[in-house]
């Protein structure tokens, strides 16, 4: 699951990475984005791009602060969640609180842009007794945080 799909390039890379270990029938991608604009062309372009991969696909349009809580009960537990939508503290906090409900014991939750104040404040506040938190520094990208349940 990815919050913040943008042009779908990262989605395509995640799906291709999943194909290294799973068949296309076993891979399911859930994407949340504003997919702004009135004509619906953005979401359709992304859908087309991702459908070429042949995996199951669901895209949800709108503010994740609203859409995710509405949908969370209908979604399966996720193996990987990438939080990279709105970067304000309130949005990242909401995305994290909803994502928590979609974690199984092995789920990996990545926060992109840990070096931004919104994601950083949310990650720094995560309870270290319940969750293992690793900050990832990459030379070619912004910092990220990886959060897993402590089991
Ligand atoms: C940084 S881009 C995502 C980049 C993508 N994950 C990647 O790695 O290439 C952020 C995206 O989040 C979307 N976004 C911003 N605020 C959002 C919100 N409140 N709800 C849903 N999507 C949002 C924007 O439309 C934009 O496409």
């Amino acid at each position: 699951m990815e919050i913040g799909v943008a042009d779908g390039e990262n989605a395509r890379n995640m799906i291709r990475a999943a194909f290294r270990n799973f068949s296309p029938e076993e891979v399911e991608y859930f994407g949340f984005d504003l997919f702004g604009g009135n004509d619906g062309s953005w979401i359709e372009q992304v859908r087309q791009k991702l459908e070429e991969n042949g995996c199951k696909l669901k895209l949800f349009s709108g503010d994740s602060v609203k859409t995710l809580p509405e949908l969370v009960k209908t979604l399966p537990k996720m193996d990987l969640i990438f939080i990279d939508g709105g970067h304000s503290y309130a949005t990242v906090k909401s995305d994290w609180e909803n994502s928590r409900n979609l974690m199984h014991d092995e789920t990996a939750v990545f926060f992109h842009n840990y070096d931004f104040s919104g994601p950083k404040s949310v990650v720094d506040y995560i309870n270290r007794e319940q969750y293992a938190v690793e900050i990832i520094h990459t030379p070619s990208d912004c910092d990220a945080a990886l959060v897993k349940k402590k089991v």
Side-chain angles (χ1 to χ4, degrees):
M1 181 177 100
E2 182 175 32
I3 306 171
V5 178
D7 62 1
E9 272 306 303
N10 185 59
R12 186 151 69 176
N13 290 336
M14 292 200 304
I15 291 166
R16 286 182 179 166
F19 287 171
R20 291 191 208 132
N21 294 306
F22 300 96
S23 67
E25 300 77 50
E26 292 173 300
V27 177
E28 197 161 8
Y29 173 86
F30 298 85
F32 290 80
D33 203 291
L34 296 168
F35 294 116
N38 297 324
D39 63 356
S41 60
W42 179 358
I43 193 168
E44 282 320 312
Q45 274 172 22
V46 171
R47 192 189 308 285
Q48 245 180 353
K49 181 189 274 190
L50 299 181
E51 273 176 354
E52 286 167 13
N53 291 290
C55 74
K56 282 178 267 175
L57 175 70
K58 289 205 177 96
L59 299 177
F60 303 101
S61 181
D63 183 347
S64 62
V65 172
K66 206 162 171 280
T67 55
L68 200 47
E70 281 168 6
L71 287 156
V72 78
K73 286 208 172 75
T74 68
L75 297 170
K77 301 287 182 204
M78 304 290 170
D79 295 324
L80 187 152
I81 299 174
F82 191 57
I83 299 179
D84 190 22
H87 286 71
S88 70
Y89 173 78
T91 299
V92 181
K93 176 129 180 12
S94 170
D95 290 345
W96 162 239
E97 291 302 340
N98 287 291
S99 295
R100 282 175 64 176
N101 294 316
L102 298 172
M103 292 175 78
H104 57 63
D105 285 351
E106 299 298 325
T107 303
V109 179
F110 290 89
F111 290 74
H112 199 222
N113 300 117
Y114 171 73
D115 34 9
F116 289 14
S117 66
K120 186 173 183 345
S121 302
V122 175
V123 169
D124 289 352
Y125 192 69
I126 290 173
N127 184 338
R128 283 1 190 216
E129 284 177 14
Q130 271 183 285
Y131 297 96
V133 179
E134 185 189 342
I135 308 304
I136 302 165
H137 305 283
T138 47
S140 57
D141 196 8
C142 307
D143 289 351
L146 167 59
V147 178
K148 295 188 83 174
K149 271 186 188 174
K150 279 186 174 165
V151 285

